[in-house]
Amino acid sequence: MIRLMRPVVIAANWKMHTTPADAGELARAIAARTAEPDVTRVICPPFVCLAAVRDALAGVAPPVAVGAQNVHHELAGAFTGEVSAAMLRGLAEWVIVGHSERRRDAGETDELINRKIRQAKDALLHVILCVGERLDERADGQAEAVVRCQVAGCLAGIEAPSLADRDVVWGDAPWLAIAYEPVWAIGTGRNATGADAAAMADVIRDTLGDLGFAARGETIPVLYGGSVTSANIGEFLAEPAIDGALVGGASLKPDEMAGIVARAALTARARRAGNPTPDAAA
Ligand code: PGA
């Protein structure tokens, strides 16, 4: 079955916050405040909190998926302090790769991120690939070129799972989502505009088409990330090109997540009813 309607995804990136002692309680609080069956919810805590969050969310309905924030590009070996895709099986169903904080602090390149995606896909993890330009690149008029290059480099030579495999192995959730996160908007309180994000989502889809994904009936969600809050999520989800959000700072606050997911549910229900642009009333 080819799914033509893209799911609406809200992913929480907790970054280096929470401990194994408190992460489960926070996850449960967020799950309870965001129980919207039409929205795909993912919580990505630090590695050491994955088991606590998995246990806290076991049996929660509608289900909330658990994601990791990174994965190593090799399957096993002498890599002190690293975590492989195989190790994440049973702990996480999703993984974030290529976050700009890792590109900045760990020197991750598109080539390395490409290898991480291969490992994640082989381990049947759903991937959130982050892309986005820096402020100097935007000022130079290079934003589109940078994002095009990141998408092409990170996905070069990677094939989508077959449609049959997707139904059997990957279930309802997409195997890949792309988060457009302009670096200058992350953690700064200065979000992009909905129109800017939608324009970049078009660039990303165009690039995916060049890579052959569109030809395979792909419906890869494109998320926006960068200072998303319950107050501005409506601006992004009013854009038919935007399929959800990767949320950092606000994702640690159940009240904020409640507002964000409630607004996402409006879009998800409107899409189901055949109207991709509900009023951004929420
Ligand atoms: P922010 O982070 O919402 O705190 O800007 C987003 C992200 O880095 O994924």
Side-chain angles (χ1 to χ4, degrees):
M1 179 185 80
I2 298 178
R3 293 183 198 84
L4 294 175
M5 195 179 69
R6 294 190 303 270
V8 176
V9 179
I10 300 294
N13 177 8
W14 285 359
K15 306 193 180 185
M16 200 169 72
H17 296 287
T18 71
T19 69
D22 57 30
E25 195 181 327
L26 179 60
R28 251 197 314 268
I30 290 172
R33 299 286 310 278
T34 61
E36 295 283 356
D38 296 324
V39 178
T40 301
R41 295 169 295 162
V42 187
I43 294 181
C44 305
F47 282 133
V48 295
C49 299
L50 284 170
V53 170
R54 175 202 59 191
D55 293 349
L57 296 176
V60 162
V64 181
V66 182
Q69 298 174 15
N70 182 32
V71 66
H72 198 259
H73 58 277
E74 295 282 354
L75 195 53
F79 302 103
T80 302
E82 298 290 351
V83 174
S84 74
M87 294 172 190
L88 291 174
R89 298 277 331 257
L91 283 172
E93 302 153 71
W94 288 70
V95 64
I96 297 170
V97 299
H99 194 281
S100 61
E101 286 155 11
R102 294 203 56 81
R103 292 177 189 259
R104 180 196 67 199
D105 300 338
E108 291 191 3
T109 61
D110 293 336
E111 191 269 334
L112 190 86
I113 295 161
N114 183 293
R115 293 171 68 188
K116 289 172 183 259
I117 295 172
R118 288 168 192 269
Q119 292 292 349
K121 183 178 159 236
D122 286 352
L124 308 181
L125 292 163
H126 303 264
V127 171
I128 298 174
L129 165 62
C130 300
V131 296
E133 81 285 357
R134 297 190 312 262
L135 190 55
D136 58 316
E137 293 166 333
R138 176 156 283 258
D140 281 355
Q142 294 302 309
E144 283 191 20
V146 165
V147 169
R148 240 179 230 286
C149 184
Q150 289 174 337
V151 173
C154 292
L155 292 172
I158 294 177
E159 283 201 9
S162 75
L163 292 175
D165 267 7
R166 249 174 281 170
D167 274 344
V168 174
V169 182
W170 301 85
D172 282 340
W175 74 278
L176 171 70
I178 298 187
Y180 168 56
E181 299 205 309
V183 176
W184 46 272
I186 295 176
T188 58
R190 178 184 166 197
N191 58 279
T193 65
D196 281 345
M200 201 60 92
D202 287 343
V203 169
I204 290 169
R205 292 214 165 83
D206 221 45
T207 313
L208 289 170
D210 293 346
L211 291 168
F213 286 97
R216 294 171 59 91
E218 276 297 330
T219 52
I220 295 170
V222 176
L223 318 181
Y224 168 76
S227 297
V228 169
T229 65
S230 59
N232 65 25
I233 183 70
E235 175 174 355
F236 299 103
L237 289 177
E239 299 286 345
I242 302 292
D243 304 314
L246 180 56
V247 187
S251 75
L252 293 158
K253 301 175 187 156
D255 281 354
E256 279 293 305
M257 285 299 280
I260 290 167
V261 175
R263 179 58 187 79
L266 283 184
T267 289
R269 285 196 288 269
R271 286 185 179 188
R272 198 173 288 258
N275 167 22
T277 50
D279 290 341

